[in-house]
Amino acid sequence: MALQTQIYPLGERALVLDPSPLEPLSWELQAKLCWLATELRLDNRLLEVIPGMNNLTLVVKEPGQLKSVKAKLDELWQRAPDTAFEPQTVTLPVSYGGEFGPDLIKVAQYHDITPEEVVHLHTLASYKVFFIGFQPGFAYLEGLPHALHTPRLATPRLKIPASSVGIGGEQTGVYPLASPGGWQLIGQTQTPLFDPLSDIPCLLAPGDIVRFQAKEICL
C-alpha cells in the first residue's frame, strides 16, 4: 500500500512532511527522511531542515518560497531510495551502577533479574538514532530490548548529571547536558555528545547506529 504522504504548512515559513500519519513507526521510513534531509540541506532557500520521528520540518528564509520548496520536497520524496545511506556506528563506553547509575538496581528488581543481566541486555542491542531533540545532542534511540522497558520515575529529578545513560519507558538514551529528567539512570559515559565549539557540535546524527559498551559495573 502506498504511503499517504501529507505536506502541510506550519505557520508562514515552515513546511512539515508527514509521510504516513496512520502508519506505525518505521526505520525504513526514517532512513528515507534522513536521505531527504541531507539533500535539502544543500538548498539555499532553507534556514533549517529538522528530521523528527517519521516526519520532516523545513523552515524557509522567505514566506514566498513555500510553494516552490513544497514542489521540490514532493519531487524528492517520490524518488527517495529505499536504502538511503550507510550509517556510522558509534560505541559509547559506560560506567554502570553506583554513583553513575543510581537506578540500576531498581531497574533490575523491577524486571526480577540481576544488575549484571540489565547491563548485558543493554549492551547486547544495537540502537538506531531516529532524530535529535529535547536538548542539543540528545538522540532518540530505537532498539531497547523489551525485557528492559521500564516506567519513568514517578517524580522527576531536578538535575541529572551530563552524560547520564537512562531508560524511560520503551527508550534508552544519554543526557548530553545536565538537566531535569524522569528517566531511570543506569550509568554514565565519558564521551561528550554535544560540543558547541566543535565544527560538528552533535556527536550523533539521525541514521547512526549506537552501541553501549560496559566499562565497569559498580554495585
Side-chain angles (χ1 to χ4, degrees), residues 3-193:
L3 295 177
Q4 301 175 359
T5 306
Q6 293 186 9
I7 301 175
Y8 56 87
L10 185 65
E12 297 181 347
R13 294 175 53 194
L15 291 170
V16 176
L17 169 65
D18 192 353
S20 188
L22 301 180
E23 292 287 327
L25 293 177
S26 160
W27 173 248
E28 290 73 23
L29 180 54
Q30 194 72 14
K32 286 188 175 185
L33 291 170
C34 290
W35 176 87
L36 195 62
T38 300
E39 293 291 310
L40 288 166
R41 289 191 179 102
L42 303 175
D43 193 320
N44 59 16
R45 294 171 296 178
L46 298 175
L47 282 175
E48 291 188 86
V49 179
I50 310 165
M53 190 74 84
N54 276 190
N55 58 60
L56 184 69
T57 300
L58 308 179
V59 181
V60 301
K61 293 179 180 178
E62 301 293 340
Q65 297 170 324
L66 278 181
K67 184 176 180 180
S68 61
V69 168
K70 181 178 179 181
K72 179 174 182 178
L73 179 58
D74 186 60
E75 184 270 327
L76 283 174
W77 175 250
Q78 297 305 320
R79 61 182 178 88
D82 290 330
T83 304
F85 53 85
E86 287 294 329
Q88 70 165 340
T89 298
V90 178
T91 300
L92 301 177
V94 177
S95 297
Y96 286 93
E99 62 178 309
F100 306 107
D103 299 320
L104 176 63
I105 293 177
K106 184 166 58 174
V107 171
Q109 291 172 341
Y110 179 83
H111 294 287
D112 196 25
I113 58 179
T114 67
E116 290 84 358
E117 288 174 305
V118 171
V119 173
H120 174 71
L121 290 170
H122 193 253
T123 56
L124 187 64
S126 293
Y127 303 89
K128 299 181 179 73
V129 178
F130 262 82
F131 71 104
I132 306 296
F134 168 58
Q135 59 177 227
F138 184 92
Y140 283 82
L141 304 177
E142 183 272 337
L144 182 70
H146 188 271
L148 292 182
H149 292 185
T150 310
R152 291 167 172 80
L153 298 175
T155 302
R157 292 181 171 91
L158 296 179
K159 186 176 182 179
I160 289 177
S163 300
S164 292
V165 178
I167 292 175
E170 300 177 3
Q171 289 189 306
T172 188
V174 183
Y175 288 83
L177 308 172
S179 72
W183 287 23
Q184 308 276 357
L185 303 184
I186 61 172
Q188 189 176 58
T189 180
Q190 297 302 311
T191 303
L193 271 69

